[in-house]
Coordinates of all heavy atoms in Angstrom, one line a residue:
M733 N 161.0 182.5 74.4 CA 160.1 183.4 75.1 C 160.6 183.5 76.5 O 161.0 182.6 77.2 CB 158.7 182.8 75.1 CG 157.6 183.8 75.7 SD 156.0 183.0 75.7 CE 156.0 182.2 77.3
R734 N 160.7 184.8 77.0 CA 161.2 185.0 78.3 C 160.0 184.9 79.3 O 158.9 185.3 79.0 CB 161.8 186.4 78.5 CG 163.2 186.4 78.1 CD 163.8 187.8 78.3 NE 164.0 188.0 79.8 CZ 165.0 188.7 80.3 NH1 165.8 189.3 79.5 NH2 165.1 188.9 81.6
R735 N 160.3 184.3 80.4 CA 159.2 184.2 81.4 C 159.7 184.9 82.7 O 160.9 184.8 83.1 CB 159.0 182.7 81.7 CG 158.2 182.0 80.5 CD 158.0 180.6 80.8 NE 157.1 180.4 82.0 CZ 156.8 179.2 82.4 NH1 157.2 178.1 81.8 NH2 156.0 179.1 83.5
H736 N 158.7 185.5 83.3 CA 159.0 186.1 84.6 C 159.2 185.0 85.7 O 158.6 184.0 85.6 CB 157.9 187.0 85.1 CG 157.8 188.3 84.4 ND1 158.7 189.3 84.6 CD2 157.0 188.7 83.4 CE1 158.4 190.3 83.8 NE2 157.4 190.0 83.1
Q737 N 160.2 185.2 86.5 CA 160.3 184.4 87.7 C 159.2 184.6 88.7 O 158.9 185.8 88.9 CB 161.6 184.7 88.4 CG 162.9 184.2 87.6 CD 163.0 182.7 87.6 OE1 162.7 182.1 86.6 NE2 163.3 182.1 88.7
T738 N 158.6 183.6 89.1 CA 157.5 183.7 90.1 C 157.8 182.9 91.3 O 158.6 182.0 91.3 CB 156.1 183.3 89.5 OG1 156.2 181.9 89.3 CG2 155.8 184.0 88.3
A739 N 157.1 183.2 92.4 CA 157.3 182.5 93.6 C 156.3 181.3 93.7 O 156.2 180.7 94.8 CB 157.2 183.4 94.8
K740 N 155.6 181.1 92.6 CA 154.6 180.0 92.7 C 155.3 178.7 92.9 O 156.3 178.4 92.3 CB 153.8 180.0 91.4 CG 152.7 180.9 91.3 CD 151.9 180.7 90.0 CE 150.8 181.8 89.9 NZ 150.1 181.7 88.6
P741 N 154.7 177.9 93.7 CA 155.3 176.5 93.9 C 155.1 175.7 92.6 O 154.0 175.7 92.0 CB 154.4 175.9 95.1 CG 153.2 176.7 95.1 CD 153.5 178.1 94.5
M742 N 156.2 175.0 92.2 CA 156.1 174.2 91.1 C 155.9 172.7 91.5 O 156.5 172.3 92.4 CB 157.5 174.3 90.3 CG 157.8 175.8 89.9 SD 156.6 176.5 88.6 CE 157.4 175.8 87.2
R743 N 155.1 172.1 90.6 CA 154.9 170.7 90.9 C 155.0 169.9 89.6 O 154.9 170.5 88.5 CB 153.5 170.4 91.4 CG 153.2 171.0 92.8 CD 154.0 170.3 93.8 NE 153.8 170.8 95.2 CZ 154.5 171.7 95.8 NH1 155.5 172.3 95.2 NH2 154.2 172.1 97.0
R744 N 155.4 168.6 89.7 CA 155.6 167.8 88.5 C 154.5 166.9 88.1 O 154.0 166.2 89.0 CB 156.9 167.0 88.7 CG 157.3 166.3 87.4 CD 158.7 165.7 87.6 NE 159.7 166.7 87.6 CZ 161.0 166.5 87.6 NH1 161.4 165.3 87.8 NH2 161.9 167.5 87.6
C745 N 154.1 167.0 86.9 CA 153.0 166.1 86.4 C 153.6 164.7 86.3 O 154.7 164.5 85.8 CB 152.6 166.5 85.0 SG 151.6 165.4 84.1
I746 N 152.8 163.7 86.8 CA 153.4 162.3 86.8 C 153.4 161.7 85.4 O 154.0 160.7 85.1 CB 152.6 161.4 87.7 CG1 151.1 161.3 87.3 CG2 152.7 161.8 89.2 CD1 150.3 160.1 87.9
A747 N 152.7 162.3 84.4 CA 152.6 161.8 83.1 C 153.8 162.3 82.2 O 154.6 161.6 81.7 CB 151.3 162.0 82.4
C748 N 153.8 163.6 82.0 CA 154.8 164.2 81.1 C 156.1 164.6 81.9 O 157.1 165.0 81.3 CB 154.2 165.4 80.4 SG 153.8 166.8 81.4
R749 N 156.0 164.6 83.2 CA 157.1 165.0 84.1 C 157.6 166.4 83.9 O 158.8 166.7 84.2 CB 158.3 164.0 83.8 CG 158.0 162.6 84.0 CD 159.1 161.7 84.5 NE 158.6 160.5 85.1 CZ 158.5 160.4 86.4 NH1 158.9 161.3 87.3 NH2 158.1 159.3 87.0
E750 N 156.7 167.3 83.4 CA 157.0 168.7 83.3 C 156.7 169.4 84.6 O 155.6 169.1 85.2 CB 156.3 169.3 82.2 CG 157.0 169.4 80.9 CD 156.2 170.2 79.9 OE1 155.9 171.3 80.1 OE2 155.9 169.5 78.9
S751 N 157.5 170.3 85.1 CA 157.2 171.1 86.3 C 156.4 172.3 85.8 O 156.7 173.0 84.9 CB 158.5 171.5 87.0 OG 159.0 170.4 87.6
K752 N 155.3 172.5 86.5 CA 154.4 173.6 86.2 C 153.9 174.2 87.5 O 154.0 173.6 88.6 CB 153.2 173.1 85.4 CG 153.5 172.5 84.1 CD 152.3 172.2 83.3 CE 152.7 171.7 81.9 NZ 151.6 171.6 81.0
P753 N 153.4 175.5 87.4 CA 152.8 176.1 88.6 C 151.7 175.2 89.2 O 150.9 174.6 88.4 CB 152.3 177.4 88.2 CG 153.0 177.7 87.0 CD 153.4 176.4 86.3
Q754 N 151.7 175.0 90.5 CA 150.7 174.1 91.1 C 149.3 174.4 90.7 O 148.5 173.4 90.5 CB 150.8 174.4 92.6 CG 150.2 173.3 93.5 CD 150.4 173.5 94.9 OE1 151.4 174.1 95.3 NE2 149.6 172.9 95.8
D755 N 148.9 175.7 90.4 CA 147.5 175.9 90.1 C 147.2 175.6 88.7 O 146.0 175.7 88.3 CB 147.2 177.4 90.4 CG 148.1 178.4 89.8 OD1 148.8 178.0 88.9 OD2 148.0 179.6 90.2
E756 N 148.1 175.2 87.9 CA 147.8 174.7 86.5 C 147.6 173.2 86.5 O 147.4 172.6 85.4 CB 149.0 175.1 85.6 CG 149.0 176.6 85.3 CD 150.1 176.9 84.3 OE1 150.6 176.1 83.6 OE2 150.5 178.1 84.3
L757 N 147.8 172.5 87.6 CA 147.7 171.1 87.7 C 146.6 170.7 88.5 O 146.0 171.4 89.3 CB 149.0 170.5 88.2 CG 150.3 170.8 87.5 CD1 151.5 170.5 88.3 CD2 150.4 170.1 86.2
M758 N 146.1 169.4 88.3 CA 145.1 168.8 89.1 C 145.8 168.0 90.2 O 146.7 167.3 89.8 CB 144.1 168.0 88.3 CG 143.4 168.7 87.3 SD 142.0 167.7 86.6 CE 143.0 166.5 85.6
R759 N 145.4 168.0 91.4 CA 146.0 167.2 92.4 C 145.0 166.1 92.9 O 143.8 166.4 93.1 CB 146.5 168.0 93.6 CG 147.2 167.2 94.7 CD 147.8 168.1 95.8 NE 148.8 167.4 96.5 CZ 148.5 166.8 97.7 NH1 147.3 166.9 98.2 NH2 149.5 166.1 98.4
F760 N 145.6 164.9 93.2 CA 144.8 163.8 93.7 C 145.4 163.3 94.9 O 146.7 163.2 94.9 CB 144.6 162.8 92.6 CG 143.9 163.3 91.4 CD1 144.6 163.8 90.3 CD2 142.5 163.2 91.3 CE1 144.0 164.3 89.2 CE2 141.9 163.7 90.1 CZ 142.6 164.2 89.1
T761 N 144.7 162.8 95.8 CA 145.2 162.1 97.0 C 144.4 160.9 97.3 O 143.2 160.8 97.0 CB 145.2 163.1 98.3 OG1 143.9 163.7 98.4 CG2 146.3 164.1 98.3
V762 N 145.1 160.0 98.0 CA 144.4 158.8 98.5 C 144.0 159.1 100.0 O 144.8 159.5 100.8 CB 145.3 157.6 98.5 CG1 144.7 156.4 99.3 CG2 145.6 157.2 97.1
Q763 N 142.7 158.9 100.2 CA 142.2 159.1 101.6 C 141.2 158.0 101.9 O 140.3 157.7 101.1 CB 141.4 160.4 101.7 CG 142.4 161.6 101.7 CD 141.6 162.9 101.6 OE1 140.7 163.1 102.3 NE2 142.0 163.7 100.6
N764 N 141.5 157.4 103.1 CA 140.6 156.3 103.5 C 140.6 155.2 102.4 O 139.5 154.6 102.1 CB 139.2 156.7 103.8 CG 139.2 157.8 104.9 OD1 140.0 157.8 105.8 ND2 138.4 158.8 104.7
G765 N 141.7 155.0 101.7 CA 141.8 153.9 100.7 C 141.2 154.3 99.4 O 141.3 153.5 98.5
G766 N 140.6 155.4 99.3 CA 140.0 155.8 98.0 C 140.6 157.0 97.4 O 141.1 157.9 98.2
L767 N 140.7 157.1 96.1 CA 141.3 158.3 95.5 C 140.3 159.4 95.4 O 139.1 159.2 95.1 CB 141.8 157.9 94.1 CG 142.7 159.1 93.5 CD1 144.1 159.1 94.0 CD2 142.7 158.9 92.0
R768 N 140.7 160.6 95.6 CA 139.8 161.8 95.4 C 140.6 163.0 94.8 O 141.8 163.1 95.1 CB 139.1 162.2 96.7 CG 139.9 162.4 97.9 CD 139.3 163.3 98.9 NE 139.6 164.7 98.5 CZ 139.2 165.7 99.3 NH1 138.4 165.5 100.3 NH2 139.5 167.0 98.9
A769 N 139.9 163.8 94.1 CA 140.4 165.0 93.6 C 140.5 166.0 94.7 O 139.5 166.2 95.4 CB 139.6 165.5 92.4
D770 N 141.6 166.8 94.8 CA 141.7 167.8 95.8 C 141.0 169.1 95.3 O 141.1 169.4 94.1 CB 143.2 168.1 96.0 CG 143.7 167.2 97.2 OD1 142.9 166.4 97.7 OD2 144.9 167.3 97.4
G771 N 140.5 169.8 96.3 CA 139.9 171.1 95.9 C 141.0 172.2 96.1 O 142.2 171.9 95.9
A772 N 140.5 173.4 96.4 CA 141.5 174.5 96.6 C 142.5 174.2 97.7 O 143.6 174.7 97.6 CB 140.7 175.8 96.8
I773 N 142.0 173.6 98.7 CA 142.9 173.3 99.8 C 143.4 171.9 99.7 O 142.6 171.0 99.8 CB 142.2 173.5 101.2 CG1 141.7 175.0 101.3 CG2 143.2 173.2 102.3 CD1 140.7 175.2 102.3
P774 N 144.7 171.7 99.5 CA 145.2 170.3 99.3 C 145.0 169.5 100.6 O 145.2 169.9 101.7 CB 146.7 170.5 99.0 CG 146.8 171.9 98.6 CD 145.7 172.7 99.3
A775 N 144.6 168.3 100.4 CA 144.4 167.4 101.5 C 145.7 166.8 102.0 O 146.7 166.7 101.2 CB 143.4 166.3 101.2
E776 N 145.7 166.3 103.2 CA 146.9 165.6 103.7 C 147.0 164.2 103.0 O 146.0 163.7 102.5 CB 146.7 165.3 105.2 CG 146.7 166.5 106.0 CD 148.1 167.1 106.2 OE1 149.1 166.3 106.4 OE2 148.2 168.3 106.1
G777 N 148.2 163.7 102.9 CA 148.3 162.3 102.4 C 149.1 162.3 101.2 O 149.4 163.3 100.6
R778 N 149.4 161.1 100.7 CA 150.2 160.9 99.5 C 149.3 161.2 98.3 O 148.2 160.8 98.2 CB 150.7 159.5 99.5 CG 151.8 159.3 98.3 CD 152.5 158.0 98.6 NE 153.5 158.1 99.6 CZ 154.7 158.8 99.5 NH1 155.0 159.4 98.4 NH2 155.5 158.8 100.5
G779 N 149.9 162.0 97.4 CA 149.1 162.3 96.2 C 150.0 162.5 95.0 O 151.1 162.2 95.0
F780 N 149.3 162.9 93.9 CA 150.1 163.2 92.7 C 149.4 164.3 91.9 O 148.3 164.6 92.2 CB 150.2 161.9 91.9 CG 148.9 161.3 91.4 CD1 148.3 161.8 90.2 CD2 148.3 160.3 92.1 CE1 147.1 161.2 89.8 CE2 147.1 159.8 91.7 CZ 146.5 160.2 90.6
Y781 N 150.2 164.9 91.0 CA 149.7 166.0 90.1 C 149.6 165.5 88.7 O 150.4 164.7 88.2 CB 150.6 167.2 90.3 CG 150.6 167.8 91.6 CD1 151.4 167.4 92.6 CD2 149.8 168.9 91.8 CE1 151.4 168.0 93.9 CE2 149.7 169.5 93.1 CZ 150.5 169.1 94.1 OH 150.5 169.7 95.3
L782 N 148.6 166.1 88.0 CA 148.4 165.8 86.6 C 148.1 167.1 85.9 O 147.4 168.0 86.4 CB 147.3 164.9 86.4 CG 147.5 163.4 86.2 CD1 146.1 162.7 85.9 CD2 148.5 163.1 85.1
C783 N 148.6 167.3 84.7 CA 148.2 168.5 83.8 C 146.7 168.4 83.5 O 146.1 167.3 83.5 CB 148.9 168.4 82.5 SG 150.7 168.6 82.6
R784 N 146.1 169.5 83.3 CA 144.7 169.5 82.9 C 144.7 169.3 81.4 O 144.4 170.2 80.6 CB 144.1 170.9 83.2 CG 144.0 171.2 84.6 CD 143.5 172.6 84.9 NE 143.8 173.1 86.2 CZ 143.0 172.7 87.3 NH1 141.9 172.0 87.1 NH2 143.3 173.2 88.5
D785 N 145.1 168.1 81.0 CA 145.4 167.8 79.6 C 145.0 166.4 79.4 O 145.4 165.5 80.1 CB 146.8 168.1 79.3 CG 147.2 167.9 77.9 OD1 146.8 166.9 77.3 OD2 147.8 168.8 77.3
R786 N 144.2 166.2 78.4 CA 143.7 164.8 78.1 C 144.8 163.9 77.8 O 144.8 162.7 78.2 CB 142.7 165.0 76.8 CG 141.9 163.8 76.5 CD 140.8 163.6 77.5 NE 140.9 162.4 78.3 CZ 140.1 162.0 79.3 NH1 139.1 162.7 79.6 NH2 140.3 160.9 79.9
D787 N 145.9 164.4 77.1 CA 147.0 163.5 76.8 C 147.7 163.0 78.0 O 148.1 161.8 78.1 CB 148.0 164.2 75.9 CG 147.5 164.5 74.5 OD1 146.5 163.8 74.1 OD2 148.0 165.3 73.7
C788 N 147.9 163.9 79.0 CA 148.6 163.5 80.2 C 147.7 162.5 81.0 O 148.2 161.6 81.6 CB 148.9 164.7 81.0 SG 150.4 165.6 80.4
I789 N 146.4 162.8 81.0 CA 145.5 161.9 81.8 C 145.5 160.5 81.2 O 145.7 159.5 81.9 CB 144.1 162.5 81.7 CG1 144.1 163.8 82.6 CG2 143.1 161.5 82.2 CD1 142.8 164.6 82.4
D790 N 145.4 160.5 79.8 CA 145.4 159.1 79.2 C 146.8 158.4 79.4 O 146.8 157.2 79.6 CB 145.2 159.3 77.6 CG 143.7 159.7 77.4 OD1 142.9 159.5 78.3 OD2 143.5 160.1 76.2
A791 N 147.9 159.2 79.3 CA 149.2 158.6 79.5 C 149.4 158.0 80.9 O 149.9 156.9 81.1 CB 150.3 159.6 79.2
A792 N 148.9 158.8 81.9 CA 149.0 158.4 83.3 C 148.2 157.1 83.5 O 148.7 156.2 84.2 CB 148.5 159.5 84.2
I793 N 147.1 157.0 82.9 CA 146.2 155.9 83.1 C 146.8 154.6 82.4 O 146.9 153.6 82.9 CB 144.8 156.1 82.6 CG1 144.1 157.2 83.6 CG2 143.9 154.9 82.6 CD1 142.8 157.8 83.1
K794 N 147.3 154.9 81.2 CA 147.9 153.8 80.4 C 149.1 153.2 81.0 O 149.3 152.0 81.1 CB 148.2 154.3 79.0 CG 148.3 153.2 78.0 CD 148.6 153.8 76.6 CE 147.4 154.6 76.0 NZ 147.7 155.2 74.7
R795 N 149.9 154.1 81.6 CA 151.2 153.6 82.2 C 151.0 153.3 83.7 O 152.0 152.9 84.3 CB 152.3 154.7 82.0 CG 152.6 155.0 80.6 CD 154.0 155.5 80.5 NE 154.3 156.5 81.5 CZ 154.4 157.8 81.2 NH1 154.2 158.3 80.0 NH2 154.7 158.7 82.2
K796 N 149.8 153.6 84.2 CA 149.6 153.4 85.6 C 150.6 154.2 86.5 O 151.2 153.7 87.4 CB 149.6 151.9 86.0 CG 148.5 151.1 85.4 CD 148.5 149.7 85.9 CE 147.2 148.9 85.6 NZ 146.8 148.9 84.2
A797 N 150.9 155.4 86.0 CA 152.0 156.2 86.6 C 151.6 156.5 88.1 O 152.5 156.7 88.9 CB 152.2 157.5 85.8
F798 N 150.4 156.5 88.4 CA 149.9 156.8 89.7 C 150.3 155.8 90.8 O 150.5 156.1 91.9 CB 148.4 157.1 89.8 CG 147.6 156.2 88.9 CD1 147.3 154.9 89.2 CD2 147.2 156.6 87.6 CE1 146.7 154.0 88.4 CE2 146.5 155.8 86.8 CZ 146.2 154.5 87.2
N799 N 150.5 154.5 90.4 CA 150.9 153.5 91.3 C 152.2 153.8 91.9 O 152.5 153.6 93.1 CB 150.9 152.1 90.6 CG 149.6 151.5 90.5 OD1 148.6 152.0 91.0 ND2 149.5 150.4 89.7
R800 N 153.1 154.3 91.0 CA 154.5 154.6 91.5 C 154.4 155.9 92.4 O 155.0 155.9 93.4 CB 155.4 154.8 90.3 CG 156.9 154.9 90.7 CD 157.7 154.8 89.4 NE 157.2 155.6 88.4 CZ 156.9 155.3 87.1 NH1 157.2 154.0 86.7 NH2 156.5 156.2 86.3
A801 N 153.6 156.8 92.0 CA 153.5 158.1 92.7 C 152.9 157.8 94.1 O 153.3 158.5 95.1 CB 152.7 159.1 92.0
L802 N 152.0 156.9 94.2 CA 151.3 156.7 95.4 C 152.0 155.6 96.3 O 151.6 155.3 97.4 CB 149.8 156.3 95.2 CG 149.0 157.3 94.4 CD1 147.7 156.7 94.0 CD2 148.7 158.5 95.3
R803 N 153.0 154.9 95.7 CA 153.6 153.8 96.3 C 152.7 152.7 96.8 O 152.8 152.1 97.8 CB 154.5 154.3 97.5 CG 155.6 155.2 97.1 CD 156.3 155.7 98.3 NE 157.1 156.9 98.1 CZ 158.3 156.9 97.5 NH1 158.9 155.7 97.2 NH2 159.0 158.0 97.3
R804 N 151.7 152.5 96.0 CA 150.8 151.4 96.2 C 150.0 151.1 94.9 O 150.0 151.9 94.0 CB 149.8 151.8 97.3 CG 149.0 153.0 97.0 CD 148.0 153.4 98.1 NE 146.9 152.5 98.1 CZ 146.0 152.5 99.0 NH1 146.0 153.4 100.0 NH2 144.9 151.7 98.9
S805 N 149.4 150.0 94.9 CA 148.7 149.6 93.7 C 147.2 150.0 93.9 O 146.6 149.7 94.9 CB 148.7 148.1 93.5 OG 148.6 147.8 92.1
V806 N 146.7 150.9 93.0 CA 145.3 151.3 93.1 C 144.6 150.8 91.8 O 145.2 150.5 90.8 CB 145.2 152.8 93.2 CG1 145.6 153.3 94.6 CG2 146.0 153.5 92.1
D807 N 143.3 150.7 92.0 CA 142.5 150.1 90.9 C 142.5 151.2 89.7 O 142.0 152.3 89.9 CB 141.1 149.8 91.4 CG 140.2 149.2 90.3 OD1 140.6 148.1 89.9 OD2 139.3 149.9 89.8
A808 N 143.0 150.8 88.6 CA 143.2 151.7 87.5 C 141.8 152.2 87.0 O 141.7 153.4 86.6 CB 143.9 151.0 86.3
D809 N 140.8 151.4 87.0 CA 139.4 151.8 86.5 C 138.9 152.9 87.5 O 138.3 153.9 87.1 CB 138.5 150.7 86.4 CG 138.8 149.7 85.3 OD1 139.5 150.2 84.4 OD2 138.4 148.6 85.4
E810 N 139.1 152.7 88.8 CA 138.7 153.6 89.8 C 139.4 155.0 89.6 O 138.8 156.0 89.7 CB 138.9 153.0 91.2 CG 138.7 154.0 92.3 CD 137.2 154.3 92.6 OE1 136.4 153.7 91.9 OE2 137.0 155.2 93.4
V811 N 140.7 154.9 89.4 CA 141.5 156.1 89.2 C 141.1 156.8 88.0 O 140.9 158.1 88.0 CB 143.0 155.7 89.2 CG1 143.8 157.0 88.8 CG2 143.5 155.2 90.5
A812 N 140.9 156.1 86.9 CA 140.4 156.7 85.7 C 139.1 157.5 85.8 O 138.9 158.6 85.3 CB 140.3 155.7 84.6
R813 N 138.2 156.9 86.6 CA 136.9 157.5 86.9 C 137.0 158.8 87.6 O 136.4 159.8 87.3 CB 136.0 156.5 87.6 CG 134.6 156.9 87.7 CD 133.8 155.9 88.6 NE 134.3 155.8 89.9 CZ 134.0 156.8 90.9 NH1 133.3 157.8 90.6 NH2 134.5 156.7 92.1
V814 N 137.8 158.7 88.7 CA 138.0 159.9 89.5 C 138.7 161.1 88.8 O 138.3 162.2 88.8 CB 138.8 159.6 90.8 CG1 139.2 160.8 91.6 CG2 138.1 158.6 91.7
I815 N 139.7 160.7 88.0 CA 140.4 161.7 87.2 C 139.5 162.3 86.1 O 139.4 163.5 85.9 CB 141.7 161.1 86.5 CG1 142.7 160.7 87.6 CG2 142.3 162.1 85.5 CD1 143.9 160.0 87.1
D816 N 138.7 161.4 85.4 CA 137.8 161.9 84.4 C 136.8 162.9 85.0 O 136.5 164.0 84.4 CB 137.0 160.7 83.8 CG 137.7 160.2 82.5 OD1 138.6 160.9 82.1 OD2 137.3 159.1 82.1
E817 N 136.3 162.5 86.2 CA 135.3 163.4 86.8 C 135.8 164.7 87.1 O 135.2 165.8 86.9 CB 134.8 162.7 88.1 CG 133.4 162.7 88.4 CD 133.0 161.8 89.6 OE1 133.3 162.2 90.7 OE2 132.5 160.7 89.3
A818 N 137.1 164.7 87.7 CA 137.7 166.0 88.0 C 138.0 166.9 86.8 O 137.8 168.1 86.8 CB 139.0 165.7 88.8
F819 N 138.4 166.2 85.7 CA 138.8 166.9 84.5 C 137.5 167.5 83.9 O 137.5 168.7 83.5 CB 139.4 165.9 83.5 CG 139.8 166.5 82.2 CD1 140.9 167.4 82.2 CD2 139.1 166.3 81.1 CE1 141.3 168.0 81.0 CE2 139.5 166.9 79.8 CZ 140.6 167.7 79.8
N820 N 136.4 166.8 83.9 CA 135.2 167.3 83.4 C 134.5 168.4 84.2 O 133.7 169.2 83.7 CB 134.2 166.2 83.1 CG 134.6 165.2 82.1 OD1 135.3 165.6 81.1 ND2 134.3 163.9 82.2
N821 N 134.9 168.5 85.5 CA 134.4 169.5 86.3 C 135.2 170.8 86.3 O 134.9 171.8 87.0 CB 134.3 169.0 87.8 CG 133.2 168.0 88.0 OD1 132.2 168.0 87.2 ND2 133.3 167.2 89.0
N822 N 136.3 170.8 85.5 CA 137.1 172.0 85.5 C 137.0 172.7 84.2 O 137.0 172.2 83.1 CB 138.6 171.5 85.7 CG 138.9 171.5 87.2 OD1 139.1 172.6 87.8 ND2 138.9 170.3 87.7
Ligands
ZN1386 ZN1 151.5 166.5 82.0

């Protein structure tokens, strides 16, 4: 399948490592020590991207892929809760 070249910024999912247009991914950042889902305007700070896909979410949580992306250890249960919430709101 041929795809048009677009100027959309591409970002990589931390679970499947595929590059996709930014607006197809969910972005999360750590702020004030807690993880939160970004809205339309990305927040400052270290963050990561995930596909809007249950498989990628589960894989990221299972492998704790976000610890590497954030360069710090975060509570996996807390991360899973924030990601789930964001996924269910979309
Ligand atoms: Zn993915």
